[in-house]
Amino acid sequence: TIEKKKTVNQKKMSNRNRSKNKSQIELTPEQKTEIREAFDLFDTEGSGKIDAKELKVAMRALGFEPKMDDIKKMVSAIDKEGIGKIDFNDFLELMEARMSEKDTQAEMLKAFRLFDDDDSGVITYENLKRVADELGENISPDDLREMIDEADKSGTGAISKSDFIRIMKKTNLF
C-alpha cells in the first residue's frame, strides 16, 4: 500500500541521514569555541553573517587553505537567502565537514605509512609483498605487480601518496 511505501522510504531516508552523520566527527567543545571565535573575529559588521572573503580568512585562521572558487561554491550552496553570506550555524556545519575530511586524510596517511616502512614516500612491490606476507595472504608476484600497476597513475612503478588516497576514496575504504 501507499502507507507502507511511505514508511519504508522514511526509514531509508532516516538511515541515510544517520550514516551521513556518522561519517562526520563530533567536534569537541574547544573546537566549537575555536570555530565561534574565528567566525566572530571575521564578522566585522557584527551582523551574524560572513561573506565569501571573510569565510576564506576565517577558514585560513582554522588551518585550511581554501581556494576562492571553492569558497564561492560553498557560500552559494548554503546561502538560503541569496545574499552571498552565511550565518554561524552554516559555518559550523562547513567546518565539521572539513574537519572530518582532514581527519580522514590523516588516517589515510597513517595507513600509507604502514605500507611505506622504508620511508621512501611510495609503496613499492617489496612494501606490498611484506604487508601481504605479514597478513598471511598468499598473493602471487603477478597479482602484486598488477595491484601496483592499477594504482600507479604516474607510471613510476610504485604507489604514491596521492595514488593511495585516490584508491582508498574510490573503494570507500575511508
Side-chain angles (χ1 to χ4, degrees), residues 152-165:
D152 176 25
K153 291 298 176 198
S154 58
T156 61
I159 302 169
S160 67
K161 285 178 187 173
S162 61
D163 289 335
F164 184 80
I165 290 170

Side-chain angles (χ1 to χ4, degrees), residues 4 17 31 44 48 64-65 87 92 125 144 146:
K4 282 185 182 178
N17 290 339
Q31 288 172 312
T44 53
F64 296 96
E65 291 296 326
D87 65 20
L92 181 62
Y125 170 84
L144 290 172
E146 190 176 319

Side-chain angles (χ1 to χ4, degrees), residues 23-171:
S23 69
Q24 280 193 339
I25 58 168
E26 183 66 31
L27 296 178
T28 65
E30 294 82 17
Q31 288 172 312
K32 287 181 181 179
T33 299
E34 187 179 347
I35 291 169
R36 169 52 90 179
E37 288 171 355
F39 182 88
D40 290 344
L41 183 63
F42 298 103
D43 176 17
T44 53
E45 299 158 5
S47 66
K49 295 186 180 283
I50 58 175
D51 64 19
K53 286 180 185 171
E54 293 166 329
L55 173 60
K56 183 175 183 176
V57 178
M59 287 181 71
R60 279 197 167 160
L62 291 168
F64 296 96
E65 291 296 326
K67 293 183 173 66
M68 199 58 186
D69 286 350
D70 293 336
I71 294 288
K72 287 177 182 174
K73 286 177 191 170
M74 285 183 233
V75 171
S76 66
I78 291 175
D79 180 21
K80 297 163 192 84
E81 299 159 11
I83 59 172
K85 294 186 175 205
I86 62 170
D87 65 20
F88 175 71
N89 289 331
D90 293 333
F91 181 67
L92 181 62
E93 205 173 295
L94 271 176
M95 292 303 95
E96 282 177 333
R98 286 291 175 130
M99 288 177 164
S100 287
E101 289 172 16
K102 209 175 193 180
D103 278 5
T104 301
Q105 185 92 354
E107 290 298 317
M108 284 190 275
L109 291 174
K110 199 183 295 182
F112 179 85
R113 286 191 292 274
L114 293 174
F115 285 88
D116 180 25
D117 65 329
D118 57 1
D119 290 323
S120 64
V122 295
I123 298 171
T124 62
Y125 170 84
E126 291 76 20
N127 296 136
L128 197 55
K129 176 150 181 38
R130 177 191 50 79
V131 171
D133 290 345
E134 286 175 4
L135 294 174
E137 296 291 331
N138 189 15
I139 303 174
S140 75
D142 286 343
D143 286 344
L144 290 172
R145 282 189 191 86
E146 190 176 319
M147 292 166 123
I148 289 174
D149 291 343
E150 181 70 31
D152 176 25
K153 291 298 176 198
S154 58
T156 61
I159 302 169
S160 67
K161 285 178 187 173
S162 61
D163 289 335
F164 184 80
I165 290 170
R166 181 182 43 77
I167 292 294
M168 293 296 105
K169 286 181 179 177
K170 183 178 174 183
T171 57

